[in-house]
Amino acid sequence: MPPVTVKVVDILTPDRQFTAYGLSHWVVLVVFAVVALLLVRVGRGHADAAEARRFSRTFAVVILVLYLAIWLYSLVPPSLDRSMPLHLSDLASLVSAYALWTHRHWAFSLTYFWCLTLSVQALLSPVLTGPDFPHIGFLAFWGIHLLVIWAAIYLTWGLRLRPDWRSYRIAVAATVTWAVVTFTFNSFAGTNYGFLNRKPDTPSLLDVLGPWPWYLLPVAALVLGAWALMTWPWTRSAKHRVTGSPPTR
C-alpha cells in the first residue's frame, strides 16, 4: 500500500470544533484534578525552603514564558480587540508568576481570589471558539488557565500560604481599579475586555444574570460574597489556633 503522509498543518488545525463538555473538555478537567492533587503533595513534600523556592520559581518561569508567547502571538497582526493585556486573565497570569517567584502576600492574595474564582469559571464555562485539540489555540487557552489555577492551589494547599481579610481588601481594591480602567477603555475603543461592556458570544454563566449592564451588579455581588466565604474559614481557623479553643458547631 502507498505510504501515508500527514501534514503538520492538518494536525495543528483539525476540522472538529471545540465544544464545552465534549471529550476534550472532560480530559482537561481530569488532567486538572490529577495535577492539582500532585502539586499539593509536591508542595507539602519539599525538603526545605530552598527546594520550595526552586520549584516555585521554575513554575513561575513556565507561566511567564507561556503567557508572553500567547501575548506575542496575539500581536500578529495587532488588534485592539485581542492584543491589549486587559483581560483579568492577563493580570492573573502575571500576578501568579510573581507570587510564585516572591511569595509576597499581596501577589498571593490576588492569585488566590482571581485564579480560584474567575479562572475556575473559565474552566467550567470556557469562552473558547475554534478548533479542538491539538490546535494551538486550544492548547494556549487551556495551558494558561490551568497553570494559574494550579499556581493558586500549590501556594495555598501546598505551601500553606493563607488569605486573610487584608487579602480580601487587596483583591477587591485591585479588581475595582481594573474594572474601572478596562470599562473606560472598552467604552472609547469599542472593545469588550473582561466582558464588562457586553456578554461573550459563547454560552456562559452571565446568560442567567440578566441583560447588560444589569448583569454586572449580580456578578459583583456574587464575586464579593464568594470571596468573603473563601476568606472566612481561614481566618476562623487561624483564630482558633491562636486561642486554642475548639471551633463551635
Side-chain angles (χ1 to χ4, degrees):
M1 59 183 295
V4 176
T5 59
V6 179
K7 296 181 179 180
V8 174
V9 68
D10 292 336
I11 296 176
L12 295 179
T13 56
D15 292 334
R16 62 186 183 278
Q17 299 291 298
F18 172 80
T19 56
Y21 294 96
L23 176 61
S24 63
H25 191 184
W26 281 111
V27 170
V28 166
L29 294 175
V30 171
V31 170
F32 160 73
V34 171
V35 175
L37 291 174
L38 290 175
L39 284 171
V40 172
R41 290 178 61 88
V42 167
R44 295 186 176 184
H46 289 313
D48 51 35
E51 181 180 310
R53 183 168 57 251
R54 285 194 299 271
F55 185 89
S56 292
R57 291 188 171 184
T58 301
F59 198 167
V61 170
V62 171
I63 291 177
L64 186 60
V65 168
L66 178 58
Y67 171 74
L68 290 177
I70 294 171
W71 180 65
L72 291 173
Y73 182 78
S74 74
L75 296 177
V76 185
S79 168
L80 275 180
D81 291 329
R82 61 187 182 88
S83 299
M84 301 295 293
L86 288 175
H87 280 299
L88 203 54
S89 58
D90 293 298
L91 300 184
S93 301
L94 296 173
V95 167
S96 63
Y98 187 77
L100 286 165
W101 189 271
T102 65
H103 298 171
R104 293 283 181 85
H105 177 77
W106 70 265
F108 162 71
S109 301
L110 296 179
T111 301
Y112 176 79
F113 290 109
W114 284 351
C115 298
L116 292 182
T117 53
L118 305 177
S119 296
V120 166
Q121 195 270 336
L123 183 69
L124 299 177
S125 58
V127 183
L128 176 61
T129 58
D132 206 343
F133 177 86
H135 188 267
I136 189 172
F138 175 95
L139 296 174
F141 177 88
W142 288 115
I144 198 64
H145 281 92
L146 290 177
L147 282 171
V148 299
I149 300 171
W150 286 333
I153 291 172
Y154 169 75
L155 290 168
T156 306
W157 287 276
L159 297 188
R160 294 185 172 93
L161 301 183
R162 296 292 181 251
D164 52 25
W165 290 113
R166 176 170 168 255
S167 306
Y168 180 85
R169 292 191 294 272
I170 290 171
V172 171
T175 305
V176 169
T177 301
W178 163 80
V180 170
V181 171
T182 304
F183 182 86
T184 303
F185 180 88
N186 286 338
S187 299
F188 283 100
T191 54
N192 192 32
Y193 290 101
F195 310 116
L196 294 173
N197 295 64
R198 62 180 180 275
K199 295 180 182 180
D201 296 329
T202 56
S204 71
L205 296 178
L206 299 180
D207 294 334
V208 300
L209 298 179
W212 184 89
W214 304 112
Y215 71 80
L216 296 176
L217 297 177
V219 165
L222 287 171
V223 168
L224 293 175
W227 286 357
L229 290 174
M230 290 169 61
T231 307
W232 174 71
W234 299 114
T235 58
R236 184 169 180 262
S237 60
K239 177 181 178 181
H240 288 298
R241 284 197 299 272
V242 172
T243 60
S245 59
T248 56
R249 295 185 179 275

